[in-house]
Amino acid sequence: MLRFLVRRFLGAVVILFLLSIVTFLLFFGMPRDPGLLMCGKTCNPTSLANIHHVLGLDKPISTQYGIFLKNLVMGSNGFAQGPCPAPCFGYSYHTNDQVWATLIDRLPTTVSLTLGGAFFFLLIGLGTGLLAAWKRGTLIDKTATAGAMVLSSMQIYFLGPLALALLVYQTHIFDKPAYNNFTANPISWFAGLIIPGWCCPRSSPRSTPVWRARR
C-alpha cells in the first residue's frame, strides 16, 4: 500500500512539473514578445527594455523558469504593480490585475457553466435517447434522430447567437443570460444558466454518442 501511495505521489509531482513547464512556455517561451503587450501603442525601445527588465525577460530562459517556480511557491515583491502573494502567476498584461485573483473571481461562473452544461447534457441526451427507444421506428424516433444530428453538428458560436435572437430578443421568453450568485438567489442562478447550459451540450459532438448509447 505504501509503495502504491509513493508511486502515485511521485507521478503527481512529475505531472505538476510538466504542467508548470507547459504553462511557462505558453506565456514566456513563445516567439511573441510578452513585453509588447504591456508596452502599448506608444512603445519605444527604452520603455520596452524597462518592461523586459521588470518582467525578467532579459534573463536566460532557464532563469526565467526558476523565477516562475519561485513566485508560485513563495510569491514575489518584484512586480512594479505591487506585492504578489503565493501562488503568484503574475499580473495581467491588459488589466494589471493579479492573474490568480482574476481566476478566483471567475471560478464561480466557470463552475456554474460546467454544472449547468453537464445537467442539460445528461437531461437532453438521456431524455431524447429514452424517448426514441420507447417510440422506436416512429415519427418521434426519426425526428429525435434528425434533431440530435443537426444540433450536435452546430458550433457554439452559431447556436448561441441564434438562441439569443429567438428566445431573448425576438420572443422574450427568457431574459438575457447573466450570472447570479447561487447563495443569493438560486432561482435566478438557474435561470441564467438555461440558455448557456442548453447550447453547450447541444454543440458538443459528445451529445450524439450519449443519445445513441441510451437509444
Side-chain angles (χ1 to χ4, degrees):
M1 182 64 180
L2 180 60
R3 293 178 60 185
F4 172 79
L5 293 177
V6 171
R7 286 200 305 268
R8 290 292 185 179
F9 175 77
L10 293 178
V13 171
V14 172
I15 291 175
L16 290 175
F17 175 70
L18 294 176
L19 284 176
S20 69
I21 293 178
V22 172
T23 303
F24 172 79
L25 292 178
L26 283 175
F27 291 96
F28 297 98
M30 301 297 287
R32 186 175 182 181
D33 187 358
L36 292 175
L37 296 175
M38 297 187 65
C39 200
K41 296 181 179 180
T42 59
C43 186
N44 57 68
T46 302
S47 300
L48 185 60
N50 182 58
I51 292 174
H52 284 169
H53 179 70
V54 171
L55 295 179
L57 299 177
D58 54 349
K59 297 179 174 64
I61 192 71
S62 58
T63 304
Q64 294 182 44
Y65 177 68
I67 295 174
F68 174 77
L69 289 182
K70 173 181 172 294
N71 292 344
L72 283 179
V73 178
M74 302 178 60
S76 174
N77 292 318
F79 290 95
Q81 294 89 337
C84 181
C88 176
F89 289 92
Y91 285 82
S92 169
Y93 299 143
H94 296 284
T95 64
N96 280 331
D97 295 328
Q98 291 185 24
V99 174
W100 179 250
T102 302
L103 291 175
I104 295 300
D105 181 65
R106 305 294 193 274
L107 183 61
T109 305
T110 303
V111 172
S112 297
L113 286 173
T114 303
L115 294 177
F119 172 78
F120 284 100
F121 178 85
L122 294 175
L123 177 66
I124 297 173
L126 291 174
T128 306
L130 292 173
L131 180 62
W134 181 42
K135 298 293 184 178
R136 187 180 183 88
T138 64
L139 180 62
I140 294 178
D141 180 17
K142 296 177 181 179
T143 302
T145 302
M149 295 297 294
V150 170
L151 290 175
S152 63
S153 65
M154 292 184 178
Q155 297 298 317
I156 186 65
Y157 51 76
F158 173 79
L159 188 59
L162 180 63
L164 287 175
L166 294 178
L167 301 177
V168 177
Y169 301 122
Q170 294 293 330
T171 61
H172 303 287
I173 296 176
F174 295 101
D175 294 329
K176 186 177 180 180
Y179 173 73
N180 295 280
N181 194 301
F182 175 79
T183 58
N185 194 331
I187 296 178
S188 297
W189 172 82
F190 180 78
L193 292 175
I194 292 178
I195 293 180
W198 180 82
C199 289
C200 290
R202 287 298 84 206
S203 61
S204 171
R206 293 187 178 185
S207 60
T208 301
V210 169
W211 170 82
R212 287 176 177 171
R214 298 285 71 79
R215 186 174 183 274

